[in-house]
Amino acid sequence: MAQFMSFTKTVLKNLISKPATTSYPEVPKEYPQRTRGHVEISIEDCILCGLCMRSCPPGAIHVDREAKKWSIARFDCIQCGYCVEKCPKKCLSIVPGYTKPDSSKHTETIKKEEALPK
Amino acid sequence: MANRSVVPFGPQHPVLPEPIHLDLVMEDETVIEAVPSIGYVHRGLESLVKKKDFNEMVYVTERICGICSFMHGMGYCSAVEKIMNVEVPRRADYLRTIWSEMSRLHSHLLWLGLLADAFGFEALFMQSWRLREKILDMFEISTGGRVIFSVNKIGGVLKDMPKDMLKSFVAILNDMEKELSETTSVFLNEYTVRSRLEGVGIITKEDAIRRGAVGPMMRASGIEVDMRKTGYAAYSDLDFEVITSDKCDSLARCQVRIGELFQSIAIIRQAVDKIPEGEISVPVKGNPDGECFMRLEQPRGEAFYYVRANGTKFLDRMRVRTPTFANIPAMLQTLQGAQFADVPLLILTIDPCISCTER
Ligand code: SF4
Ligand code: SF4
């Protein structure tokens, strides 16, 4: 190969080809299906066993059996997916869509309405 | 004798976004000695084993490094699996191998980009990173993350790659190979690049052994050592040659890494051909008891994991010896007698990862 001008071919190709980048955020990014964005719960199936709370490495989940509440500190969650794997009812899932930036950390609480299954 | 002066390098330095500090003892423009200090980003991850149980530690070990995150998780899991006598399904071994090689690809491409940046070839840097982006996309498609993958677990892997996904990855890599050979030929042939790399930072075979170099640093000095040849995961089924060079300089290290890029693609191709059907994980019961160590070949060289467990869910001790840590003495050797302008480049040729080193 030539010792000189070996990059020229690449330069010319780049000149006439489309840019490799997109103008985010004007052109929104499409996430693949498996993207670990945030944890979602289908609360109807949850039995408030608290296994997710005990397994979460950063301690982002809190389960309150008495008050029938499941809460997650979105900014503490590291999207590892361990809770999803541990949940006996398979009611947790990780879906695309990152938590929006915020000026303070907040906790999202979801209340389970109906009575606990006996 | 000329006057000696000490020039501090780092911990904040434009060429290296990571904090390592070197005191360079200079005589005019020549480095006489380099005195390193590390420990700026020590996070104490190894002592976290007392607070996080051994399953949660998988996610902690992954976060040792942002480049070899997959392999850190895998090394830790393999060590615990060895203690617990867990036989990982063969398909999981293959999946781990494929992800490992993808990690090697993106790590070496990152390094090529940084190297180009260090000698001031911005366009080449962009070009390398553009190629790397495709690998990151493949990671996102298969694991759901671009940096931290969270697919390892003790007993196997969490996500499978279906046949058509594997096929599409091989197709992407086949396409990439052409672009890759165009880009890498600039590194190997271009006069301006060669003038910066050739004959710079020589470390002889004897020195490399004496200083305990690992990985591409060692292989570029003509020593044929590659932990993959010990046959962990699925490497025992795959056919590949250890890439070495006996030129011992910075260009040789560049050559070895470029050779490994193409080799990784070939290994992925083989693995996709041979991957068996079946389970991807086995259930693991009980707590580990005993101790073991595990060695594996990361992009930067050999990494070493030591785990000691006591039968409870908290481990006694976990230790990681990362390749950068092992390569620092060799790097200091290359700095002796180097020109000041070559210092950033020489530090880069070991492919330093300071976060790994400090854990
Ligand atoms: S582990 Fe599942 S079922 Fe149990 S509390 Fe958590 S979400 Fe509910
Ligand atoms: S994904 Fe991980 S960090 Fe997030 S809530 Fe689940 S266990 Fe906790």
Side-chain angles (χ1 to χ4, degrees):
Chain A
M1 264 294 271
Q3 278 211 347
F4 296 96
M5 314 282 282
S6 52
F7 199 58
T8 320
K9 200 172 145 203
T10 315
V11 172
L12 291 176
K13 226 198 254 169
N14 284 348
L15 260 181
I16 51 169
S17 60
K18 277 203 306 190
T21 50
T22 54
S23 337
Y24 183 83
E26 277 97 70
V27 184
K29 162 122 170 79
E30 269 181 40
Y31 294 103
Q33 199 192 344
R34 290 191 183 181
T35 296
R36 301 192 314 275
H38 68 278
V39 177
E40 234 164 49
I41 182 169
S42 42
I43 193 78
E44 317 80 61
D45 301 332
C46 174
I47 51 168
L48 298 169
C49 66
L51 221 65
C52 52
M53 170 170 76
R54 283 195 295 278
S55 58
C56 176
I61 299 182
H62 188 78
V63 179
D64 191 338
R65 246 184 115 82
E66 308 286 90
K68 292 186 197 153
K69 275 180 189 157
W70 182 93
S71 52
I72 180 167
R74 294 262 177 233
F75 289 99
D76 287 353
C77 171
I78 53 172
Q79 283 90 27
C80 63
Y82 193 34
C83 54
V84 178
E85 194 203 332
K86 275 275 156 148
C87 175
K89 301 303 278 181
K90 299 279 161 251
C91 60
L92 293 175
S93 56
I94 291 203
V95 291
Y98 297 110
T99 307
K100 293 235 158 51
D102 206 336
S103 51
S104 66
K105 286 190 173 186
H106 56 79
T107 306
E108 205 175 306
T109 306
I110 294 158
K111 195 160 162 32
K112 190 175 165 71
E113 298 300 343
E114 81 252 85
L116 279 179
K118 283 271 141 57
Chain B
M1 198 180 89
N3 275 339
R4 289 198 171 175
S5 49
V6 177
V7 179
F9 180 97
Q12 299 285 332
H13 195 278
V15 75
L16 203 69
E18 290 190 280
I20 181 171
H21 174 80
L22 294 170
D23 276 320
L24 301 172
V25 182
M26 310 280 304
E27 224 167 63
D28 293 334
E29 287 283 297
T30 312
V31 180
I32 303 298
E33 203 192 346
V35 187
S37 35
I38 57 171
Y40 291 91
V41 284
H42 180 65
R43 293 158 289 166
L45 288 184
E46 286 174 342
S47 64
L48 252 187
V49 290
K50 303 223 171 74
K51 297 215 180 90
K52 303 272 167 213
D53 74 39
F54 72 96
N55 279 312
E56 291 174 348
M57 272 313 280
V58 178
Y59 303 104
V60 176
T61 44
E62 266 190 339
R63 283 161 173 81
I64 289 176
C65 171
I67 307 295
C68 313
S69 58
F70 180 80
M71 286 167 164
H72 277 302
M74 171 177 161
Y76 170 77
C77 286
S78 313
V80 177
E81 281 155 8
K82 240 172 153 182
I83 296 179
M84 300 178 83
N85 282 322
V86 174
E87 180 91 31
V88 176
R90 207 61 191 141
R91 186 172 178 90
D93 273 341
Y94 269 86
L95 290 171
R96 281 181 178 177
T97 307
I98 294 171
W99 275 315
S100 296
E101 289 310 314
M102 275 159 63
S103 300
R104 197 177 315 281
L105 274 169
H106 99 82
S107 172
H108 283 353
L109 281 169
L110 171 115
W111 178 80
L112 283 176
L114 289 178
L115 182 76
D117 192 42
F119 54 61
F121 203 151
E122 288 286 328
L124 194 53
F125 154 65
M126 294 286 179
Q127 199 64 28
S128 307
W129 280 38
R130 196 181 85 168
L131 291 173
R132 175 175 176 255
E133 205 56 29
K134 288 189 187 153
I135 311 276
L136 294 186
D137 286 343
M138 280 158 58
F139 267 121
E140 197 177 5
I141 293 168
S142 57
T143 70
R146 297 169 74 82
V147 177
I148 302 289
F149 309 126
S150 299
V151 279
N152 270 306
K153 70 178 248 185
I154 291 165
V157 291
L158 284 168
K159 287 186 178 132
D160 200 357
M161 287 195 259
K163 217 181 215 156
D164 37 332
M165 187 187 281
L166 288 171
K167 283 247 172 66
S168 69
F169 285 180
V170 171
I172 295 174
L173 290 173
N174 287 346
D175 283 349
M176 211 171 101
E177 222 170 8
K178 277 177 238 128
E179 274 186 87
L180 201 59
S181 53
E182 261 170 41
T183 308
T184 51
S185 83
V186 180
F187 281 97
L188 298 178
N189 300 311
E190 175 74 28
Y191 165 78
T192 47
V193 176
R194 285 184 81 113
S195 67
R196 286 303 304 273
L197 298 178
E198 217 164 13
V200 176
I202 290 187
I203 183 149
T204 58
K205 195 170 176 174
E206 292 71 38
D207 279 339
I209 293 173
R210 201 157 40 125
R211 306 264 162 173
V214 293
M217 187 83 177
M218 186 176 220
R219 292 195 281 277
S221 294
I223 304 160
E224 205 182 307
V225 178
D226 191 326
M227 284 307 123
R228 288 179 287 174
K229 280 285 175 202
T230 59
Y232 66 87
Y235 288 110
S236 49
D237 295 356
L238 304 171
D239 186 31
F240 63 97
E241 296 289 318
V242 179
I243 295 176
T244 57
S245 164
D246 43 21
K247 293 213 206 73
C248 310
D249 59 358
S250 300
L251 187 66
R253 299 198 266 281
C254 192
Q255 262 164 1
V256 167
R257 290 197 178 97
I258 287 175
E260 287 182 3
L261 280 174
F262 292 100
Q263 186 182 51
S264 289
I265 296 181
I267 291 179
I268 293 177
R269 232 182 261 139
Q270 277 187 48
V272 169
D273 279 346
K274 289 190 182 166
I275 189 165
E277 293 296 324
E279 289 295 308
I280 54 164
S281 67
V282 285
V284 175
K285 292 237 155 55
N287 296 325
D289 193 1
E291 63 179 345
C292 124
F293 68 82
M294 174 78 206
R295 299 154 85 188
L296 45 86
E297 188 74 22
Q298 288 189 344
R300 294 171 171 78
E302 175 196 339
F304 180 104
Y305 297 84
Y306 170 77
V307 174
R308 192 172 70 215
N310 53 11
T312 66
K313 65 177 186 166
F314 296 103
L315 301 174
D316 256 353
R317 183 93 177 87
M318 199 255 308
R319 165 124 180 91
V320 186
R321 204 287 316 268
T322 59
T324 305
F325 190 72
N327 269 334
I328 286 179
M331 175 188 89
L332 297 176
Q333 162 106 33
T334 61
L335 287 176
Q336 273 172 27
Q339 288 302 299
F340 186 56
D342 285 335
V343 170
L345 194 108
L346 289 175
I347 294 177
L348 263 183
T349 56
I350 72 160
D351 196 358
C353 176
I354 309 301
S355 289
C356 268
T357 313
E358 327 241 296
R359 297 171 310 280

